[in-house]
Amino acid sequence: MKQSRKPLLILGTRTLAVEFADVISEIQEFQLSGFVENMDKARCSEKLENMPVYWIDDIKDMADTHLAVCGLATTKRSFFVEQAENLYMRFAKVVHPSARISSKSTIGDGTIVNPGVIVASHTEIGKH
């Protein structure tokens, strides 16, 4: 029985979000559904990487069916994550198949582990 891919949203619409989209495209567990913007609503009128861009307030209806990760590399990251959490969005742990994570380590929700990364034994990586 083939397992269906989990729909995933990326919070953010800039360079890091596009980089994460590329990583996610190589992971069979997830299907990228689009990006989320929270500062400039005009960005929602155009696609990014041929994917829709949703306004933050519009993802509430997607919280039951989608997971998210934050692709924002600024000090506004925590605020964006909190906005999504207030809309009941849950966060994924995204691990590229070429990464190695020790079975004695943990990674938190919202974490993205890129290709080739090695997470050593007894390492704790927190949320986001």
Side-chain angles (χ1 to χ4, degrees):
M1 181 175 166
K2 186 178 179 182
Q3 184 177 352
S4 62
R5 298 171 79 187
K6 298 172 189 166
L8 185 71
L9 296 168
I10 297 175
L11 306 182
T13 58
R14 305 298 192 279
T15 307
L16 187 59
V18 171
E19 176 65 26
F20 285 170
D22 182 56
V23 171
I24 292 162
S25 73
E26 298 176 0
I27 301 172
Q28 291 300 311
E29 182 180 354
F30 299 104
Q31 176 66 49
L32 184 61
S33 297
F35 298 86
V36 182
E37 175 66 34
N38 74 337
M39 295 189 72
D40 181 3
K41 199 167 188 174
R43 290 186 69 87
C44 299
S45 64
E46 296 182 18
K47 290 187 174 194
L48 179 62
E49 299 290 304
N50 290 320
M51 301 295 296
V53 177
Y54 300 99
W55 182 243
I56 183 68
D57 295 333
D58 298 334
I59 67 168
K60 185 175 185 178
D61 293 337
M62 302 169 90
D64 287 340
T65 57
H66 289 67
L67 297 170
V69 291
C70 189
L72 202 64
T74 71
T75 57
K76 307 240 185 248
R77 180 185 192 100
S78 295
F79 177 72
F80 206 170
V81 167
E82 188 175 303
Q83 279 183 297
E85 286 175 335
N86 288 339
L87 296 169
Y88 306 104
M89 187 58 63
R90 296 164 293 128
F91 288 86
K93 296 175 190 176
V94 177
V95 180
H96 190 273
S98 70
R100 185 203 179 274
I101 299 176
S102 169
S103 62
K104 296 181 181 194
S105 295
T106 60
I107 61 170
D109 293 340
T111 299
I112 296 179
V113 182
N114 283 330
V117 168
I118 298 171
V119 179
S121 178
H122 300 91
T123 301
E124 292 182 31
I125 299 175
K127 292 181 177 182
H128 311 288

